[in-house]
Amino acid sequence: MDHQSPLATDTPPESIAILRLSAIGDCCHMVPVVRSLQDAFPATPITWLIGRTEAALIGDLDGVEFISFDKRRGLSEYRRIRRELGQRRFGALLHAQVALRANLLATAARAHRRIGFDAARARDGHGLFIDERIQPQPEAHVMAGFFGFAEALGVEERSMRWKIPIPGAACETAARHIYDDEPALVISPCTSQRFRNFRNWAPERYARVAEYASERGLKVLITGGASDEEARYGEAITRLSQAPVTNLVGQTSLKELLALLGRATAVVAPDSGPVHMAVAAGTPVIGLYATSNPRRTGPSLGQHWVVNAYPQAVQRAFGVDEDAVSWGRRVRDPAAMELITVDAVIERLDALLATPAEQRMNR
């Protein structure tokens, strides 16, 4: 039977395996945890089992061995991971994902300590694959939950640094789009396509923000992946905006996007991976939140720039204050993002531009 993990240990684990496959935002949250473990245990090797897409972004962190998992390959991929781990035994497995495929992979990683989420955050049989749980953290940000795994190993000091490597070619690509010291606003308008995942704002509202940003002297760029939905958004915003917009949707790799976000003055985006990529790159984000709670999934730094319509969305959907619903409950209302006004986003942009650059990422 699993039990609560102790909060301290005098002996560093001989090795650490981290099991966090997805998503991009969550894996970005895990990077400072890895940095904190490296600071505390510089001689301890760390292995990270990670998804294929996420590995394209952070699979070259210094001092970390990555084992990439491609779910598209089905059972053959589970067999490959099991062969790759072979006879290895880790000092600690940090099972930091509640999903069936993660549980199956957890069986391939043998470890002296198998640490997972507390009961409130566990599902899909998560508790069957661990023997210790991190401390409960009611109403915590996702990143704080991940730091619970470091605390289970006795690491209390949090290092809020990412230092995700960016290849020179990606930096050069970004520099061609945003020149040195050029004020720029990056709009990443879409979130991931999931069932009843109503997080996207209207293209015409993004276009109004683009126009205002251009009036303030910022170059405006739109980014996104290669999906049809993102392509439609990029085309619509470009067409509706009366100001010049550079449409880069579908034209950047994850490393190029990270470099581009790092050169921007600010980013506007809904609850999505690029929010957390921008934070990792040191750029403030005007996050657009209505169907999800930004206190749980918003930017881990600079959260005061968020436009938060979640309380109003909860009140409209459930007839109660947000404190009366379970932590992190989604609002499945396709009209919820309409609660975010253009004026509210412009107000946050004005406030951000009026703040000295070195203070914009303060907590």
Side-chain angles (χ1 to χ4, degrees):
M1 179 179 295
D2 59 87
H3 57 275
Q4 209 69 49
S5 183
L7 286 180
T9 178
D10 294 330
T11 305
E14 58 268 30
S15 58
I16 298 171
I18 297 171
L19 175 49
R20 182 72 210 189
L21 302 175
S22 61
I24 285 176
D26 290 326
C27 288
C28 285
H29 289 325
M30 184 61 77
V31 173
V33 179
V34 170
R35 296 307 192 194
S36 300
L37 292 172
Q38 289 176 321
D39 290 346
F41 309 132
T44 298
I46 297 175
T47 299
W48 186 340
L49 278 73
I50 192 170
R52 176 188 62 88
T53 299
E54 292 73 14
L57 175 65
I58 60 176
D60 54 357
L61 291 183
D62 56 286
V64 181
E65 174 196 17
F66 284 88
I67 298 178
S68 175
F69 173 78
D70 186 352
K71 64 182 180 181
R72 301 173 303 174
R73 299 180 58 189
L75 287 176
S76 65
E77 187 73 342
Y78 291 97
R79 298 190 188 101
R80 182 187 68 80
I81 298 294
R82 190 172 296 277
R83 288 194 303 269
E84 186 162 347
L85 292 176
Q87 300 301 310
R88 297 170 63 177
R89 188 174 184 87
F90 298 96
L93 168 67
L94 309 184
H95 187 356
Q97 183 143 5
V98 284
L100 178 59
R101 68 178 183 274
N103 290 338
L104 293 175
L105 282 176
T107 65
R110 300 188 304 159
H112 295 291
R113 300 177 64 187
R114 306 177 66 84
I115 305 171
F117 282 107
D118 56 282
R121 285 175 285 188
R123 63 179 185 273
D124 293 339
H126 182 78
L128 300 174
F129 298 86
I130 60 175
D131 51 38
E132 299 178 32
R133 295 186 184 273
I134 64 173
Q135 293 292 317
Q137 299 181 51
E139 301 190 356
H141 190 276
V142 171
M143 180 182 282
F146 290 158
F147 269 111
F149 287 91
E151 291 162 4
L153 297 178
V155 179
E156 300 285 346
E157 189 71 25
R158 297 183 179 185
S159 176
M160 293 298 292
R161 60 187 176 89
W162 284 262
K163 291 190 175 180
I164 300 172
I166 303 177
C171 292
E172 292 171 4
T173 296
R176 287 198 295 270
H177 294 296
I178 301 177
Y179 303 139
D180 291 347
D181 301 321
E182 181 180 27
L185 177 70
V186 170
I187 296 176
S188 179
C190 294
T191 186
S192 57
Q193 293 179 292
R194 299 177 187 172
F195 180 65
R196 292 173 58 79
N197 186 35
F198 306 117
R199 302 185 202 172
N200 290 343
W201 208 36
E204 58 268 22
R205 299 192 181 190
Y206 281 120
R208 300 292 82 77
V209 171
E211 291 170 354
Y212 182 79
S214 182
E215 291 173 4
R216 289 294 311 268
L218 279 75
K219 182 176 184 178
V220 180
L221 307 95
I222 309 172
T223 62
S227 71
D228 292 341
E229 177 75 1
E230 289 165 295
R232 284 193 294 269
Y233 257 80
E235 187 279 331
I237 296 168
T238 303
R239 172 172 46 82
L240 292 168
S241 174
Q242 298 300 309
V245 172
T246 301
N247 183 0
L248 297 178
V249 172
Q251 300 180 41
T252 57
S253 68
L254 284 172
K255 289 291 193 183
E256 289 168 343
L257 176 57
L258 183 64
L260 193 73
L261 296 173
R263 297 182 72 87
T265 305
V267 173
V268 173
D271 185 2
S272 58
V275 168
H276 310 297
M277 290 175 63
V279 172
T283 299
V285 183
I286 301 173
L288 310 181
Y289 284 75
T291 65
S292 53
N293 187 345
R295 292 190 293 149
R296 180 179 178 274
T297 62
S300 54
L301 296 176
Q303 192 164 129
H304 50 289
W305 303 121
V306 164
V307 178
N308 182 15
Y310 179 72
Q312 300 97 295
V314 168
Q315 181 63 237
R316 191 170 73 175
F318 309 119
V320 298
D321 292 339
E322 66 171 307
D323 292 340
V325 300
S326 59
W327 180 248
R329 183 171 183 179
R330 302 286 188 185
V331 176
R332 305 296 185 183
D333 177 3
M337 291 294 285
E338 295 175 5
L339 292 167
I340 298 175
T341 66
V342 172
D343 285 344
V345 177
I346 286 174
E347 184 277 329
R348 287 290 77 200
L349 179 60
D350 281 339
L352 188 152
L353 295 176
T355 301
E358 66 274 10
Q359 298 177 20
R360 292 172 183 167
M361 292 296 283
N362 292 349
R363 299 189 187 187

